[in-house]
Amino acid sequence: MQRSDIPVYVQVRNQLWQWVQKQQLGSQERLPAERELAARFNTTRVTVRQALGQLEAEGVIFRSNRRGWYITPQRLIYDPSVDIGFYKTVIEQGLTPRTETLSKRLIETPNWLADISGMEKGAPIYHIVRRRSVDLRCVVVEHNYINPLGCPGLLDQDMDLSIWKLLREQYDLLPGQRNIEIFPQALTGVEAEALGVNSGSAGLYMQRLTLDKSGTFLEYDREYWIHDALKVAVQVNNN
Amino acid sequence: MQRSDIPVYVQVRNQLWQWVQKQQLGSQERLPAERELAARFNTTRVTVRQALGQLEAEGVIFRSNRRGWYITPQRLIYDPSVDIGFYKTVIEQGLTPRTETLSKRLIETPNWLADISGMEKGAPIYHIVRRRSVDLRCVVVEHNYINPLGCPGLLDQDMDLSIWKLLREQYDLLPGQRNIEIFPQALTGVEAEALGVNSGSAGLYMQRLTLDKSGTFLEYDREYWIHDALKVAVQVNNN
């Protein structure tokens, strides 16, 4: 078989991936070290890195903080037309969610947020930053901006589970209308740092504007996901 | 003001982006050459490239086939819960769609597609590959796999508009249930080449399985989008 038109690193990628599948490595299990792979596939470390980079781009392996390469877990399935929230989404898929609150404070509504939310510029608003994990893998940094009017003392509460559960059960606040936007965007700055990836790494951005049933602004949310952790899935019935 | 903790390329990125906005460069307008930008901002071409790479990662500028850097157009807004198709989506947003058919043929259903579609392995199925543009910018390569049972002679038709319009108007075929999945995935191989981007560039992948109203397989579709051309937008009403 003529193989000379396939770049060497693609050939190594194919051999490597076949081998990994034969080993039946499971979710988040570690691949052998690069020099070991280079020896096994009789090639250079440069080529092994290219092959690994290719598999990373495809989202089937990921690198963790210079500690090595690992098998990417199944993507979390998220249906924006239902939008049941991170905590419930993860639990329902048999996975383990974890949330760390990085900061929570009362700030003055900045101009850009006033434009989006209809809050007055400078009016007090809660700003909560959290990092969330699935099976101990950090997958998203989330910024929540919440209208404090209906939920005094919110910042004294534990934010490490679901904010919407808190709003519903402690404050009787329910979402009316939600506008959700999702698109690919590179991770940079504090979000990249908090997620342990290089600035400029591929990511998925999501924002969510929530009004209550009377049309009053309740919450605005910005989420910065690593590129390989989430899949949007929607079912449409025209019946 | 202390600025020494901000990397030089980030400072140049900020100056450059401020300057671009002051020039009021519009969608798909070209930025000055890199050496001109280096001179203007009194820095090296290496640093200018880092700053441009940062703006590219943010999705606000894009590179076109080594011909230079351009302002990224507004993202196309796509609502999977409505899913009206590329052609109508582009037209309704006041933009100009264009479609080129790269190949169309009758193939034998491969194993992976038999598993997804319920077609028999080896059974004949249409495979159509098209490249689609918005305002002359190539944004997506699409693979359509269509059950030929209800649409004999489909390949003789002009595929350069909407396939679903054809199926509806010529063959009376209507979608019943659709399962749509969307996630970030790097562009590689023939898709990267057809879109004029480097293999490994950030992209957005979409697939769509369509059954008719009686549950019979009609069409399966795989779309490979450049990273900055599409935004998923969904509105949820809990009222």
Side-chain angles (χ1 to χ4, degrees):
Chain A
M1 197 170 79
Q2 274 283 26
R3 307 194 58 178
S4 55
D5 53 336
I6 304 177
V8 175
Y9 82 92
V10 176
Q11 296 179 30
V12 173
R13 175 250 171 247
N14 294 342
Q15 292 165 13
L16 208 164
W17 189 236
Q18 261 180 13
W19 180 81
V20 164
Q21 290 180 302
K22 213 178 276 173
Q23 302 306 301
Q24 304 192 305
L25 286 181
S27 165
Q28 301 209 56
E29 285 196 320
R30 190 174 176 175
L31 270 65
E34 289 177 4
R35 68 169 182 287
E36 200 180 320
L37 293 171
R40 176 176 298 276
F41 298 106
N42 197 21
T43 186
T44 64
R45 282 188 66 174
V46 171
T47 303
V48 161
R49 276 204 204 107
Q50 284 182 298
L52 291 164
Q54 175 66 32
L55 290 167
E56 181 188 31
E58 294 169 27
V60 294
I61 64 170
F62 70 97
R63 191 170 8 195
S64 181
N65 266 334
R66 294 166 202 84
R67 285 183 296 115
W69 291 96
Y70 298 80
I71 303 293
T72 310
Q74 287 278 322
R75 288 174 186 268
L76 204 61
I77 299 166
Y78 168 71
D79 184 345
S81 70
V82 181
D83 192 42
I84 56 171
F86 177 85
Y87 193 81
K88 214 171 155 189
T89 300
V90 176
I91 294 275
E92 283 190 358
Q93 289 171 47
L95 304 166
T96 307
R98 196 175 132 211
T99 303
E100 302 156 80
T101 303
L102 303 181
S103 72
K104 47 180 185 180
R105 51 204 185 104
L106 196 65
I107 61 167
E108 295 180 355
T109 303
N111 290 359
W112 65 266
L113 184 54
D115 293 343
I116 292 170
S117 65
M119 298 276 293
E120 263 181 66
K121 286 174 194 177
I125 193 167
Y126 295 136
H127 178 204
I128 299 148
V129 185
R130 297 181 301 166
R131 173 169 54 191
R132 317 191 86 169
S133 310
V134 176
D135 288 357
L136 297 181
R137 183 180 182 222
C138 294
V139 292
V140 61
V141 169
E142 187 176 344
H143 292 251
N144 297 88
Y145 300 90
I146 302 176
N147 187 343
L149 202 65
C151 48
L154 179 68
L155 296 190
D156 301 329
Q157 308 267 1
D158 179 4
M159 303 282 169
D160 286 357
L161 293 170
S162 163
I163 286 182
W164 276 102
K165 192 165 185 282
L166 269 181
L167 293 178
R168 193 173 59 241
E169 295 180 359
Q170 307 278 322
Y171 298 100
D172 211 23
L173 290 173
L174 291 172
Q177 181 186 308
R178 281 190 162 153
N179 285 295
I180 301 166
E181 291 191 3
I182 306 166
F183 51 86
Q185 191 174 56
L187 295 163
T188 58
V190 288
E191 288 82 20
E193 206 168 312
L195 292 166
V197 300
N198 291 330
S199 185
S201 300
L204 188 69
Y205 170 79
M206 191 182 317
Q207 65 181 42
R208 199 184 276 104
L209 177 69
T210 306
L211 310 178
D212 70 12
K213 286 175 197 295
S214 68
T216 303
F217 169 72
L218 271 186
E219 191 242 11
Y220 181 68
D221 158 68
R222 285 186 161 171
E223 302 182 3
Y224 300 86
W225 289 79
I226 56 175
H227 75 109
D228 58 6
L230 189 83
K231 141 166 115 177
V232 174
V234 177
Q235 196 178 93
V236 188
N237 283 298
N238 296 311
N239 291 311
Chain B
M1 198 170 79
Q2 275 283 25
R3 308 192 59 177
S4 54
D5 53 338
I6 304 176
V8 175
Y9 83 91
V10 176
Q11 295 179 30
V12 173
R13 175 248 171 248
N14 294 342
Q15 291 165 15
L16 208 164
W17 189 236
Q18 261 180 12
W19 180 82
V20 165
Q21 289 179 303
K22 214 179 274 172
Q23 304 305 302
Q24 304 192 302
L25 287 181
S27 166
Q28 301 211 55
E29 286 196 320
R30 191 175 175 172
L31 271 65
E34 288 177 4
R35 66 169 183 288
E36 201 180 318
L37 293 171
R40 176 177 297 276
F41 298 107
N42 197 20
T43 186
T44 64
R45 282 189 65 175
V46 171
T47 303
V48 161
R49 277 206 203 105
Q50 283 182 296
L52 291 165
Q54 174 67 32
L55 290 168
E56 181 188 31
E58 294 169 27
V60 295
I61 64 171
F62 70 97
R63 190 168 10 191
S64 182
N65 267 334
R66 294 167 202 83
R67 287 182 295 117
W69 292 94
Y70 297 81
I71 303 292
T72 309
Q74 288 277 321
R75 288 175 187 267
L76 203 62
I77 299 166
Y78 168 70
D79 184 345
S81 70
V82 181
D83 190 43
I84 56 172
F86 177 86
Y87 194 81
K88 213 170 157 190
T89 300
V90 175
I91 294 275
E92 283 190 358
Q93 290 170 45
L95 303 165
T96 306
R98 195 175 132 212
T99 303
E100 301 156 80
T101 303
L102 302 182
S103 72
K104 48 181 184 180
R105 49 202 187 107
L106 195 65
I107 62 167
E108 295 180 353
T109 302
N111 290 358
W112 64 265
L113 184 54
D115 293 344
I116 292 169
S117 65
M119 297 277 291
E120 261 181 69
K121 287 175 195 177
I125 192 166
Y126 295 137
H127 179 205
I128 299 147
V129 185
R130 297 181 301 167
R131 174 169 54 191
R132 317 193 85 169
S133 309
V134 176
D135 288 357
L136 297 181
R137 183 179 183 222
C138 294
V139 293
V140 62
V141 169
E142 188 176 344
H143 292 252
N144 297 89
Y145 300 90
I146 303 176
N147 188 343
L149 201 65
C151 49
L154 179 67
L155 296 190
D156 301 330
Q157 309 268 0
D158 180 4
M159 304 281 170
D160 286 358
L161 294 170
S162 163
I163 286 182
W164 276 101
K165 194 165 183 283
L166 269 182
L167 293 178
R168 194 174 57 239
E169 295 180 358
Q170 307 279 323
Y171 299 98
D172 210 24
L173 290 173
L174 291 171
Q177 181 187 307
R178 280 191 162 153
N179 285 296
I180 301 165
E181 292 191 2
I182 306 166
F183 50 86
Q185 192 173 55
L187 295 163
T188 59
V190 288
E191 289 81 21
E193 206 169 311
L195 292 165
V197 302
N198 291 330
S199 183
S201 300
L204 188 68
Y205 170 79
M206 192 181 317
Q207 66 181 40
R208 201 184 275 103
L209 177 70
T210 306
L211 310 178
D212 71 10
K213 287 176 197 291
S214 68
T216 303
F217 169 71
L218 271 186
E219 191 242 10
Y220 181 68
D221 157 67
R222 286 185 162 171
E223 301 181 3
Y224 300 85
W225 290 78
I226 55 174
H227 76 107
D228 58 5
L230 188 84
K231 140 167 116 176
V232 174
V234 178
Q235 197 178 91
V236 187
N237 284 299
N238 297 312
N239 291 313

